[in-house]
């Protein structure tokens, strides 16, 4: 106290603070505050608001603190308490675990010891370590999971290498982005008489001579993107050996990759193998555009001739597109061809117009064939340029004697206007019957094919007695 009656901190005098206020201050800087005897008996107990499960600690008073600790924590606490009582200097805090109760689970606490000025009691302040323990458990679990992933990855890597080396077929992995060989097996080394150190990291295409448009890697990507298990025919760099590459496209960590299996063309191949190779050569190098579509009209694959015919730059741009995008009458043309192919197995020489990529039109004749592909169906379409066909088509036969006699019978009994009208009606009826039959009695599609409105088609159907015809 100064001469002016003020309380001073510098003189070692602490201002008078009520006991309740002291308890509040202590619980504010720690989670647990205990006043214990030298033997560990609890004289007073206070918890912070964060420990809601320990709001009522009156049951702790009068009991030993060891009663609330786990079996392995009791020796640690007693040892640190005895050390604190024996020496005047501060000791390191001790970390112990409190036993679980009906309201609380087992939780860790770090206690520090403090003297109170009384010879019989001391102050023990505890900090709850539950959040720290939870983070440690999460880190341990993450570390264990990471180790398990590493172990599984090492196991998969070992299986991959054993499988790759056990294959007698020359195999290599190619990066589509760089065009370089990433990995290969011993059979690949033997085929090209080079060490693996030389082959890996080198350009894959330099070992071959390929024909066709585009780089070899582009050809492999296009072949792998098709659903026909395409094989690319190449020659060795010295042109002494004919080779076949069967590519499989997949996405790796660094981008798209190619798994290439290389085999030599043997003269002892089975006839079916030779036929498959010939069909593949026809598909890739034939002059007629060929396109495969599924039952919904989605394009599965198309050859280079179709790309050139429709001015499409790359086969990848056809993926996910519908064939109706290339027909002038859209869904009408597609439905007519697919429905007729479903009913009879094929449809020959359907005349329509194909829309090219830049908007131009080309008259074509399309032959459609239904193919079985497992449990589903695939439709193969072969397109022919009608202008080219017309130039080589033989002239139509002359009018037969019967046709001439029919015309002669009309002359004299009818005027020229009536003759022309009757001939027009016959031709009109034939065209309507044909359109209705081709569209499987789909009146809307038939009207669109004939360039008529739906109402006009119904009028003509009633005129020729075709309304009830199916």
């Amino acid at each position: 106290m100064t001469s002016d009656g003020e309380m001073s901190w510098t003189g070692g005098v602490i201002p008078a603070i009520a006991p309740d206020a002291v308890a509040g201050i202590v619980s504010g800087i720690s989670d647990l505050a205990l006043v214990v005897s030298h033997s560990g008996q609890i004289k007073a107990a206070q918890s912070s608001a964060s420990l809601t499960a320990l709001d009522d600690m009156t049951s702790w008073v009068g009991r030993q603190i060891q009663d609330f600790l786990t079996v392995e924590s009791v020796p640690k606490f007693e040892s640190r308490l005895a050390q604190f009582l024996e020496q005047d200097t501060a000791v390191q805090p001790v970390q112990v675990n409190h036993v679980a109760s009906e309201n609380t689970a087992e939780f860790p606490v770090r206690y520090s010891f403090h003297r109170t000025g009384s010879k019989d009691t001391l102050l023990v302040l505890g900090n709850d370590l539950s959040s720290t323990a939870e983070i440690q458990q999460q880190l341990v679990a993450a570390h264990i999971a990471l180790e398990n992933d590493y172990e599984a990855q090492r196991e998969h890597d070992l299986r991959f290498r054993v499988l790759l080396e056990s294959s007698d077929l020359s195999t290599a992995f190619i990066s589509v982005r760089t065009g370089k060989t990433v990995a290969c097996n011993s059979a690949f080394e033997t085929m090209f008489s080079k060490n693996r150190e030389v082959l890996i990291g080198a350009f894959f295409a330099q070992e071959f001579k390929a024909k066709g448009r585009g780089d070899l890697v582009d050809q492999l990507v296009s072949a792998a993107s098709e659903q026909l298990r395409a094989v690319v025919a190449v020659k060795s760099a010295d042109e002494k050996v004919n080779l076949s590459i069967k590519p499989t496209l997949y996405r790796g960590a660094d981008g798209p990759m190619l798994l290439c299996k290389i085999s030599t063309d043997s003269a002892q191949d089975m006839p079916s193998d030779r036929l498959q190779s010939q069909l593949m050569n026809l598909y890739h190098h034939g002059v007629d555009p060929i396109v495969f579509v599924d039952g919904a009209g989605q394009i599965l694959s198309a050859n280079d001739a179709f790309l050139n015919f429709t001015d499409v730059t790359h086969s990848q741009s056809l993926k996910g597109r519908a064939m109706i995008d290339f027909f002038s009458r859209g869904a009408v043309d597609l439905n007519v061809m697919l429905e007729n192919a479903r009913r009879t197995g094929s449809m020959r020489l359907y005349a329509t117009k194909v829309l090219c990529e830049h908007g131009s039109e080309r008259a074509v004749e399309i032959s459609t064939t239904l193919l079985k592909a497992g449990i589903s169906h695939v439709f193969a379409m072969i397109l022919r340029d009608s202008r080219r066909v017309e130039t080589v088509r033989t002239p139509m036969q002359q009018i037969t004697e019967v046709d001439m006699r029919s015309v002669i019978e009309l002359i004299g009994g009818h005027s020229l206007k009536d003759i022309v009208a009757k001939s027009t009606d016959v031709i009109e009826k034939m065209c309507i019957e044909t359109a209705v039959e081709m569209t499987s009695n789909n009146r809307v599609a038939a009207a669109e094919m004939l360039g008529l409105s739906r109402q006009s088609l119904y009028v003509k159907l009633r005129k020729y007695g075709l309304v009830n015809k199916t």
Side-chain angles (χ1 to χ4, degrees):
M1 183 77 68
T2 64
S3 59
D4 297 332
E6 296 180 354
M7 190 69 70
S8 172
W9 289 91
T10 58
V13 179
I14 299 178
I17 303 176
D20 293 340
V22 173
I25 294 173
V26 172
S27 63
I29 62 176
S30 62
D31 295 313
L32 284 173
L34 305 175
V35 178
V36 300
S37 66
H38 289 186
S39 63
Q41 185 182 21
I42 301 175
K43 302 294 185 180
Q46 181 75 28
S47 64
S48 66
S50 61
L51 291 177
T52 56
L54 298 179
D55 285 343
D56 185 13
M57 299 187 65
T58 56
S59 61
W60 288 38
V61 177
R63 298 180 60 182
Q64 294 293 121
I65 189 174
Q66 292 88 333
D67 296 340
F68 302 97
L69 302 179
T70 59
V71 175
E72 64 273 7
S73 298
V74 171
K76 294 170 55 179
F77 181 83
E78 291 179 345
S79 175
R80 192 60 54 86
L81 177 60
Q83 182 183 356
F84 177 75
L85 295 174
E86 290 176 359
Q87 60 188 35
D88 295 333
T89 58
V91 296
Q92 291 293 329
V94 59
Q95 181 174 330
V96 295
N97 291 323
H98 277 272
V99 295
S101 63
E102 296 181 358
N103 299 326
T104 60
E106 181 177 318
F107 62 96
V109 176
R110 182 175 60 197
Y111 282 114
S112 60
F113 302 91
H114 308 274
R115 301 186 185 277
T116 62
S118 173
K119 296 181 179 180
D120 299 330
T121 59
L122 63 146
L123 180 64
V124 180
L125 299 180
N127 291 317
D128 183 18
L129 300 179
S130 298
S131 59
T132 304
E134 184 178 355
I135 294 175
Q136 290 176 343
Q137 291 175 358
Q138 293 176 355
L139 290 175
V140 171
H143 181 72
I144 293 175
L146 189 60
E147 286 295 329
N148 292 336
D149 289 343
Y150 283 151
E151 188 64 28
Q153 183 177 356
R154 286 191 290 267
E155 180 66 21
H156 286 306
D157 184 66
L158 179 60
R159 293 176 185 176
F160 160 73
R161 294 186 182 278
V162 172
L163 180 62
L164 188 64
E165 289 300 322
S166 63
S167 175
D168 295 331
L169 190 62
S170 178
T171 307
F173 289 86
I174 314 302
S175 170
V176 175
R177 182 173 57 84
T178 63
K180 296 182 179 180
T181 304
V182 176
C184 65
N185 63 354
S186 300
F188 188 79
E189 295 181 83
T190 304
M191 173 175 285
F192 298 101
S193 302
K194 294 181 180 179
N195 294 329
R196 189 168 308 188
E197 291 77 11
V198 177
L199 293 171
I200 294 179
F203 289 100
F204 179 74
Q206 71 182 12
E207 306 295 337
F208 309 93
K209 285 194 174 181
K211 58 183 178 180
R213 72 181 201 174
D215 181 68
L216 175 60
V217 175
D218 291 338
Q219 294 186 38
L220 294 173
V221 171
S222 299
S225 301
E226 299 167 357
Q227 299 183 2
L228 301 175
R229 298 181 180 179
V231 176
V232 177
V234 296
K235 286 187 176 183
S236 59
D238 54 9
E239 297 189 0
K240 293 182 179 180
V241 182
N242 293 325
L243 302 172
S244 297
I245 303 178
K246 183 179 179 181
T248 301
L249 183 65
Y250 71 96
R251 180 163 294 279
D254 297 329
M257 299 286 295
L258 282 169
L259 167 63
C260 297
K261 298 179 180 180
I262 305 100
S263 59
T264 58
D265 292 341
S266 174
Q268 287 77 30
D269 287 342
M270 296 296 292
S272 60
D273 295 335
R274 293 201 300 271
L275 177 61
Q276 181 179 6
S277 176
Q278 292 166 359
L279 290 175
M280 291 306 305
N281 285 330
L282 173 64
Y283 173 77
H284 286 292
H285 307 297
V287 294
D288 287 329
I290 302 175
V291 60
F292 290 87
V293 301
D294 60 15
Q298 296 293 321
I299 297 176
L300 301 176
S301 62
N303 63 354
D304 284 349
F306 181 83
L307 301 181
N308 294 329
F309 191 79
T310 56
D311 297 329
V312 176
T313 56
H314 199 279
S315 60
Q316 292 295 321
S317 59
L318 293 176
K319 291 299 179 181
R321 295 185 62 177
M323 193 61 192
I324 60 175
D325 295 343
F326 295 94
F327 289 145
S328 61
R329 290 191 291 263
V332 174
D333 286 335
L334 180 66
N335 292 336
V336 169
M337 287 184 282
L338 297 190
E339 287 300 324
N340 281 275
R342 284 191 182 98
R343 286 191 288 108
T344 62
S346 63
M347 182 179 184
R348 298 180 65 252
L349 303 179
Y350 177 79
T352 184
K353 291 183 179 180
V354 167
L355 297 175
C356 298
E357 194 75 346
H358 303 298
S360 59
E361 289 187 350
R362 293 188 180 184
V364 295
E365 290 181 346
I366 304 176
S367 296
T368 306
T369 305
L370 176 66
L371 305 175
K372 290 185 177 180
I375 60 175
S376 59
H377 292 88
V378 174
F379 296 88
M381 296 182 176
I382 301 178
L383 289 69
R384 291 191 297 172
D385 193 339
S386 295
R387 295 171 300 177
R388 185 178 61 189
V389 173
E390 290 296 336
T391 59
V392 298
R393 182 171 290 169
T394 57
M396 296 180 60
Q397 296 181 354
Q398 299 296 324
I399 298 176
T400 63
E401 184 178 352
V402 175
D403 296 330
M404 183 62 69
R405 190 180 300 113
S406 299
V407 174
I408 293 174
E409 290 176 354
L410 292 174
I411 298 175
H414 300 275
S415 65
L416 179 61
K417 181 178 180 181
D418 293 337
I419 294 174
V420 173
K422 289 182 179 294
S423 302
T424 303
D425 290 345
V426 172
I427 295 173
E428 190 175 54
K429 179 181 179 182
M430 291 174 56
C431 292
I432 292 174
E433 286 181 318
T434 302
V436 171
E437 182 180 355
M438 290 179 65
T439 57
S440 300
N441 203 29
N442 187 330
R443 307 294 173 82
V444 177
E448 190 169 349
M449 286 186 64
L450 296 171
L452 299 174
S453 65
R454 198 184 317 175
Q455 292 79 6
S456 298
L457 177 62
Y458 278 108
V459 170
K460 294 183 182 295
L461 289 173
R462 286 194 293 267
K463 176 182 177 180
Y464 299 117
L466 302 176
V467 174
N468 298 323
K469 184 175 180 180
T470 59

